[in-house]
Amino acid sequence: MCGINGVLSFKKISLFKEINSMNNLIIHRGPDDDGIFIEENDNYSIALGMRRLSIIDIESGSQPIFSDDKQVIIVFNGEIYNYQKLKKELEESNIYFKTNSDTEVILKLYLKFGTKSFSKLDGMFAFSIYDKRINKLFIARDFFGEKPLYYSKNSDSFVWASELKSIFCSVEKPEISTEGMELFFKLNYIPAPYTIYDGILKLSPNNYIEFDIRTKGLLIKPIHIEEKIKSESSISFNSAKKITKNLIEESVFSRSVSDVSIGTFLSGGVDSSIISYCLAKNIDQRINTFSIGFENKKFDETNKSRVVSKLINSKHNELIIKENSLVDELDNILMNFDEPFADASALATFLVSKQTSNHVKVALTGDGGDEVFAGYNKHYIGLINNRYTSLVPSLLHNRIKPLVRKLLVTKNDNRGLRFKLRKILDSLDYNENFYWKIISLGFQEDEIKKLLINKKQNDSLVYFKEKLNDFDRDNLFGYKMIDKIVSLEGDMLVKVDRTSMLSSLECRAPFLNKKIWDFTNTLPDNYLINKGSKKFILKEAFKDYFPDSFLDKSKKGFGVPVGDWLRGTLRKEFISYTDKKFIQEQGIFEYENISQLVYNHLNGKEDATFKMWPFYCFQKWYKNIYLN
């Protein structure tokens, strides 16, 4: 696990200072080692850099790694879980290795198969390969987007990095992107290919860049070609259940390969409990498990994690979070995302990562279980929408919605039944906006028009709407694809990567395995959601290994009462961000509209946590980036 950086300048200059500065900004991603490659030519200069967190081949796995003739160079961030199998196949073809690292396996695969080799990799990765023989640069990102990759191209240079902060060692800080900003206020995060900055993009998952240094041409190509239409399978439920169990156990085993100590995040929910069980079963020693609890008992579920820990006989580590411990870390956590990010569960994820890193270097997580096995309420809401809109005329719905919505107003950050019913009501839709409403956590489109001064056409919304409308809303495959394209890459994986790497901890997600993803996409919908039970086949595959009904208990997740904090601990800072002079000089928000929302929230007239928390996060980011 590492971080990578790179600069290609279209003139002959020294890039030594630049690449070292880029590396120094991401020491937290790789405190164990660093490496650089620099080359100056008559008409261009290139530098590759990396920071390393030593997990596999600690002694000889330093980077960059070179081909035998020194003509091809690679820097790599991530883990390749099938590298030993691939290495053995290459050795059978009389290809020899100097190290035991997965990085060298990627390089040797490329030398033999070219860019077609990228599809052979099972893992999480972002890597760059400089091939001097053909004057080309290749930069690739994994299937799900577990590892980040930002890039920027202008007339003088092409720059890429694992984190946005490194880009600014080579590129002047640009203007705010209207597209990125509107996506943030709708979703609470910014999915690829957009960022908060004009001229800086994220490489989308399952893609690679081919950059021709001679022509300065940049092409983006897919690694795997994904089918958009679900192919129904006639497999029996019992057979599917056995395959599900085997695939998950196999994935956990492959992701437990490490030359350092390993543990698991154990929240007590379905996904983390199953991963912890599989790891404990597959290795000879007692595993370490890590969980967090909350002083606020509404959010605390440590009793469930203790049940699992006792069941699998793990060395259990528990941290009870106090409000002050989160607030004290707030700036550190939020600013490390480098752009606005408002998933409040990132705060708790950072603290459990920080605690875990004191004991182990690698942790397996349950991330991806909901996306792969259809475990979110939004998946169920999608099915409800189809039935509701087929029974209730749109005219009647539009008449009763405002009345019902008023009855469901909440006045504090309590995400109970009333909150959930209102979310369902707001998501119901009769046209192409349906997908978009389901995944929008913050402001709806009509609300954004009142929020922001700039009212121009937003190409990013068009881009994602067109992408989402490619998928049939009559089955779960469409919802799962939306999760993969938008919320998994833009939210969940960003949260885990930045918070864990800030603590120099590597997190691996066994559910994010292409074989599992492909298999679940062939299953009938009622194998995934059955009579209201989400992730049905996953629960059925493992229910015999847990106490009766344990896997059927609801899970709260890492809920953090940030809406209440804005009325209390953070109130003074929050109000300062709505100062009339500050807002008017900023020139982004309509003062009267935003001040009314803030007033209603602070005075308990209507809870607006999912609007006010992203506003707070954006303003904190803006002040730190543009005013400090």
Side-chain angles (χ1 to χ4, degrees):
M1 179 64 66
C2 320
I4 63 170
N5 296 300
V7 185
L8 174 62
S9 175
F10 305 134
K11 52 189 173 183
K12 184 176 182 179
I13 59 170
S14 173
L15 296 172
F16 179 80
K17 182 178 179 181
E18 223 164 294
I19 198 67
N20 273 291
S21 296
M22 294 175 79
N23 275 356
N24 289 338
L25 285 174
I26 58 166
I27 285 176
H28 53 277
R29 297 190 73 92
D32 298 332
D33 191 15
D34 72 340
I36 60 173
F37 164 81
I38 300 174
E39 180 179 85
E40 293 180 27
N41 294 288
D42 290 337
N43 56 351
Y44 73 91
S45 301
I46 188 169
L48 308 181
M50 59 80 60
R51 293 288 324 188
R52 184 180 181 219
L53 181 66
S54 302
I55 302 295
I56 290 175
D57 192 16
I58 296 170
E59 297 300 323
S60 62
S62 294
Q63 300 180 40
I65 289 182
F66 299 79
S67 60
D68 292 340
D69 61 4
K70 307 295 183 184
Q71 294 300 295
V72 184
I73 305 99
I74 183 172
V75 289
F76 163 61
N77 166 29
E79 303 291 349
I80 304 302
Y81 303 121
N82 62 339
Y83 83 97
Q84 292 173 328
K85 177 176 177 286
L86 294 170
K87 181 179 180 181
K88 185 177 179 181
E89 291 172 359
L90 290 169
E91 287 175 330
E92 289 172 355
S93 301
N94 296 318
I95 294 173
Y96 300 97
F97 290 81
K98 297 176 182 177
T99 74
N100 294 313
S101 73
D102 48 358
T103 311
E104 189 179 10
V105 171
I106 301 172
L107 178 63
K108 294 295 176 68
L109 272 174
Y110 168 77
L111 292 172
K112 183 173 176 62
F113 299 106
T115 56
K116 291 181 180 178
S117 65
F118 301 163
S119 65
K120 298 177 182 290
L121 304 174
D122 171 25
M124 53 179 183
F125 56 79
F127 59 80
S128 47
I129 294 174
Y130 170 43
D131 192 336
K132 297 164 67 172
R133 303 169 305 178
I134 55 175
N135 262 40
K136 285 189 177 182
L137 180 68
F138 299 96
I139 304 169
R141 192 177 181 202
D142 65 74
F143 182 73
F144 291 100
E146 292 182 75
K147 293 294 102 187
L149 199 289
Y150 297 86
Y151 68 96
S152 179
K153 179 179 180 288
N154 57 39
S155 59
D156 297 321
S157 65
F158 174 56
V159 187
W160 66 100
S162 290
E163 295 191 10
L164 257 174
K165 57 177 66 70
S166 293
I167 296 279
F168 297 128
C169 293
S170 185
V171 174
E172 285 190 18
K173 210 162 289 173
E175 296 294 317
I176 292 174
S177 161
T178 302
E179 288 84 1
M181 183 168 59
E182 291 196 23
L183 281 170
F184 170 72
F185 281 111
K186 282 193 67 65
L187 302 172
N188 292 355
Y189 55 88
I190 305 171
Y194 298 94
T195 73
I196 194 62
Y197 296 107
D198 276 333
I200 301 179
L201 297 171
K202 299 183 186 91
L203 178 61
S204 294
N206 189 37
N207 278 275
Y208 71 92
I209 291 171
E210 179 180 315
F211 194 96
D212 189 315
I213 297 172
R214 291 190 188 92
T215 65
K216 302 179 185 178
L218 187 156
L219 296 174
I220 296 177
K221 300 179 179 181
I223 294 174
H224 299 274
I225 305 298
E226 283 194 90
E227 294 182 12
K228 291 183 179 179
I229 300 174
K230 175 181 171 182
S231 57
E232 288 285 350
S233 169
S234 60
I235 189 172
S236 72
F237 184 79
N238 283 336
S239 295
K241 191 169 70 170
K242 289 176 184 176
I243 293 172
T244 296
K245 181 174 179 292
N246 291 338
L247 283 174
I248 291 170
E249 288 185 339
E250 176 188 300
S251 188
V252 170
F253 181 76
S254 70
R255 281 141 178 81
S256 64
V257 174
S258 172
D259 293 334
V260 297
S261 53
I262 191 169
T264 70
F265 286 178
L266 177 57
S267 67
V270 171
D271 303 327
S272 67
S273 296
I274 287 173
I275 296 302
S276 298
Y277 165 79
C278 291
L279 181 64
K281 176 185 174 183
N282 281 296
I283 63 177
D284 296 331
Q285 60 198 48
R286 287 180 71 194
I287 68 168
N288 285 280
T289 51
F290 302 89
S291 70
I292 56 173
F294 295 86
E295 279 185 315
N296 186 337
K297 294 303 175 184
K298 287 190 301 183
F299 297 94
D300 185 70
E301 295 183 291
T302 49
N303 58 322
K304 292 174 69 177
S305 59
R306 290 181 202 134
V307 169
V308 178
S309 173
K310 186 176 180 181
L311 178 72
I312 64 176
N313 190 32
S314 68
K315 299 174 188 175
H316 195 52
N317 303 269
E318 192 175 282
L319 174 68
I320 302 299
I321 293 178
K322 299 178 181 179
E323 181 174 327
N324 286 342
S325 63
L326 279 174
V327 172
D328 290 346
E329 294 279 10
L330 206 53
D331 281 25
N332 185 33
I333 299 167
L334 293 180
M335 294 313 299
N336 188 57
F337 287 99
D338 296 331
E339 58 183 338
F341 185 80
D343 184 341
S345 65
L347 309 178
T349 305
F350 168 74
L351 288 186
V352 73
S353 297
K354 187 177 180 181
Q355 176 198 219
T356 302
S357 67
N358 292 328
H359 300 270
V360 299
K361 268 192 170 184
V362 179
L364 302 192
T365 77
D367 296 319
D370 287 315
E371 288 81 2
V372 173
F373 285 95
Y376 288 121
N377 286 330
K378 61 187 173 185
H379 296 134
Y380 194 51
I381 292 170
L383 300 181
I384 291 173
N385 186 87
N386 293 346
R387 292 170 190 160
Y388 179 89
T389 54
S390 66
L391 295 172
V392 180
S394 60
L395 187 62
L396 176 60
H397 170 76
N398 291 333
R399 283 181 178 175
I400 64 174
K401 179 180 175 179
L403 301 174
V404 177
R405 205 173 188 278
K406 284 183 180 179
L407 296 174
L408 297 175
V409 168
T410 56
K411 296 186 177 181
N412 55 48
D413 190 7
N414 183 355
R415 299 163 203 183
L417 179 61
R418 185 176 292 188
F419 169 84
K420 292 174 182 175
L421 288 174
R422 186 166 177 172
K423 178 62 180 171
I424 292 174
L425 181 67
D426 287 342
S427 298
L428 294 171
D429 197 272
Y430 289 75
N431 56 44
E432 70 276 2
N433 291 320
F434 173 65
Y435 281 154
W436 200 240
K437 283 188 175 181
I438 279 189
I439 62 174
S440 294
L441 301 176
F443 293 82
Q444 295 296 329
E445 282 183 57
D446 58 334
E447 295 172 323
I448 285 181
K449 290 175 183 176
K450 297 175 184 177
L451 174 74
L452 302 175
I453 291 174
N454 192 328
K455 305 291 197 307
K456 75 174 188 179
Q457 171 68 44
N458 190 327
D459 294 336
S460 68
L461 298 183
V462 174
Y463 170 85
F464 281 111
K465 278 186 178 181
E466 289 178 351
K467 214 169 181 59
L468 302 187
N469 287 334
D470 283 345
F471 305 111
D472 186 355
R473 76 181 195 177
D474 291 331
N475 59 56
L476 285 174
F477 176 70
Y479 305 119
K480 290 176 61 185
M481 284 300 295
I482 293 166
D483 279 337
K484 180 178 180 295
I485 292 168
V486 183
S487 53
L488 182 63
E489 185 279 335
D491 183 6
M492 177 67 73
L493 296 178
V494 173
K495 173 184 71 178
V496 174
D497 177 81
R498 303 307 188 281
T499 55
S500 62
M501 293 312 299
L502 186 57
S503 301
S504 301
L505 175 75
E506 173 172 303
C507 285
R508 301 176 179 177
F511 286 117
L512 295 181
N513 182 315
K514 188 174 182 296
K515 286 171 67 176
I516 298 175
W517 170 260
D518 288 343
F519 175 69
T520 60
N521 286 340
T522 68
L523 299 178
D525 284 353
N526 65 341
Y527 286 16
L528 299 173
I529 296 181
N530 190 289
K531 297 178 181 178
S533 177
K534 301 182 288 291
K535 293 188 287 194
F536 183 66
I537 195 167
L538 177 64
K539 296 173 185 175
E540 288 294 301
F542 286 93
K543 71 176 184 179
D544 293 342
Y545 306 100
F546 292 90
D548 288 345
S549 302
F550 180 85
L551 296 181
D552 293 319
K553 294 179 181 178
S554 62
K555 177 74 175 70
K556 295 174 185 172
F558 283 167
V560 181
V562 291
D564 293 340
W565 291 3
L566 295 175
R567 298 185 186 95
T569 309
L570 301 176
R571 185 184 183 100
K572 184 177 180 181
E573 181 188 5
F574 183 43
I575 290 175
S576 75
Y577 293 149
T578 62
D579 176 78
K580 187 171 185 177
K581 183 180 178 183
F582 179 74
I583 292 286
Q584 289 177 340
E585 289 180 352
Q586 192 177 15
I588 293 174
F589 302 103
E590 295 281 5
Y591 173 74
E592 296 299 331
N593 292 327
I594 193 64
S595 61
Q596 186 62 51
L597 281 170
V598 171
Y599 176 83
N600 288 344
H601 182 80
L602 290 178
N603 291 284
K605 289 192 171 185
E606 181 176 351
D607 183 77
T609 296
F610 284 88
K611 295 181 177 70
M612 294 298 91
W613 181 246
F615 175 73
Y616 169 85
C617 292
F618 181 89
Q619 293 295 72
K620 179 183 280 289
W621 168 83
Y622 180 90
K623 185 176 180 181
N624 275 273
I625 295 298
Y626 286 100
L627 300 182
N628 286 347

